Amino acid sequence: GLAGAAKLWPLFLLGPILVLAVRANRLRAAFTAVGAAVVAAVAVNLPAAVPYWENWDRFFELNSTRPIDWGTLWYVGRYLDGKVGGQGPFEWLNGNIPTLNLLSYALFGLVCLGVAALALLAPRRPRLAQLAFLVVAAFLIFSKVWSQQFVLWLLPLAVLARPRWGAFLAWQLAEVCYFAAFYGELLGASTGRAVFPEGVFVLAASLRLITVVVICGLIVRDILRRERDAVRTTYADDPDGGVLDEAPDAPWLDRWR
């Protein structure tokens, strides 16, 4: 709750907690966690929101009105629209922000439903960090804003969800390339002289996007094939799961299947 008061994304972790608690029949503990998070977030925000509503609401207003930002899936689409010629769908979305917002939220919501189904139908209950990474990554993939510092959102979750070197290092190399490309693009925009062709920046953004998607795919594979999960080769279940660790599945799960 305190983290969510500073930045919205930690509140996304409440979804995986609830879904896993349903499967483990630990709803009381999950409701306690969610309730405490909501109380903490409200308690921190309320003293600023009531007397300074316009200032407090600025974050939400900005995110509801801002167009497609650099380096996102939608930005790559706009670049491809320009190569084809004419006004393509991504360029149209950039001029119709409410529709872009709804589409972005809808895609994120669909992925969250898929993650929930995966959590309930997987042969063994997924670990909390695995679902947390999938949800936060989905938000970034479909968001119209994906700043280079947002890698800090995913780093700890990636280490907990899939502690293997290969894909992780490939992703970090892509992030370093994007960092350099972003500031090259920013320098070109501020001076009026391009540091490198626009396609270089789009390629770096695409590589970052692709490597995150690949890690998501590997995590899903680890969930469906538990023998591939590096954590469960050492621990019995989920060392980061709190009351979920080594909890049996709810009795209704076998009947529902």
Side-chain angles (χ1 to χ4, degrees):
L2 293 175
K7 197 65 177 176
L8 194 60
W9 74 267
L11 297 180
F12 295 152
L13 306 186
L14 299 178
I17 289 174
L18 279 172
V19 174
L20 292 174
V22 168
R23 177 161 177 170
N25 201 24
R26 293 290 191 273
L27 284 175
R28 182 176 179 180
F31 288 150
T32 300
V34 172
V38 171
V39 169
V42 172
V44 171
N45 278 276
L46 207 58
V50 172
Y52 308 107
W53 173 261
E54 290 187 1
N55 291 3
W56 182 86
D57 189 52
R58 176 58 180 159
F59 168 80
F60 300 98
E61 179 188 1
L62 174 64
N63 281 280
S64 65
T65 57
R66 67 192 302 177
I68 292 172
D69 202 17
W70 287 0
T72 62
L73 170 68
W74 314 100
Y75 185 93
V76 174
R78 282 188 67 197
Y79 175 80
L80 297 177
D81 278 351
K83 291 299 181 181
V84 174
Q87 186 184 57
F90 292 93
E91 187 64 44
W92 182 87
L93 284 170
N94 193 52
N96 294 268
I97 304 302
T99 304
L100 172 63
N101 293 338
L102 288 175
L103 181 58
S104 174
Y105 298 149
L107 291 172
F108 174 55
L110 286 174
V111 173
C112 287
L113 290 176
V115 171
L118 177 67
L120 295 175
L121 299 176
R124 184 173 181 179
R125 187 175 63 249
R127 293 184 292 106
L128 176 59
Q130 291 174 317
L131 297 191
F133 182 92
L134 293 177
V135 169
V136 176
F139 176 76
L140 292 178
I141 289 168
F142 294 113
S143 175
K144 61 182 181 180
V145 179
W146 189 350
S147 301
Q148 72 276 11
Q149 70 269 21
F150 288 1
V151 64
L152 299 177
W153 299 9
L154 288 176
L155 269 174
L157 298 179
V159 172
L160 296 173
R162 192 175 188 275
R164 293 186 182 275
W165 283 110
F168 180 85
L169 290 178
W171 169 42
Q172 290 307 295
L173 178 60
E175 287 284 356
V176 170
C177 291
Y178 180 77
F179 182 87
F182 176 86
Y183 281 100
E185 189 80 353
L186 189 64
L187 183 61
S190 61
T191 62
R193 297 190 306 176
V195 176
F196 40 65
E198 175 75 4
V200 173
F201 175 69
V202 172
L203 176 61
S206 301
L207 289 175
R208 178 180 65 165
L209 175 66
I210 290 168
T211 51
V212 171
V213 170
V214 167
I215 291 178
C216 288
L218 292 172
I219 290 174
V220 171
R221 186 193 65 176
D222 291 347
I223 292 173
L224 296 176
R225 299 174 59 187
R226 57 194 181 192
E227 69 276 6
R228 302 299 298 266
D229 185 354
V231 173
R232 280 183 167 147
T233 61
T234 303
Y235 297 92
D237 188 24
D238 184 1
D240 306 308
V243 297
L244 300 171
D245 186 27
E246 299 190 50
D249 283 340
W252 57 263
L253 189 63
D254 289 333
R255 297 194 300 269
W256 183 63
R257 285 175 174 175

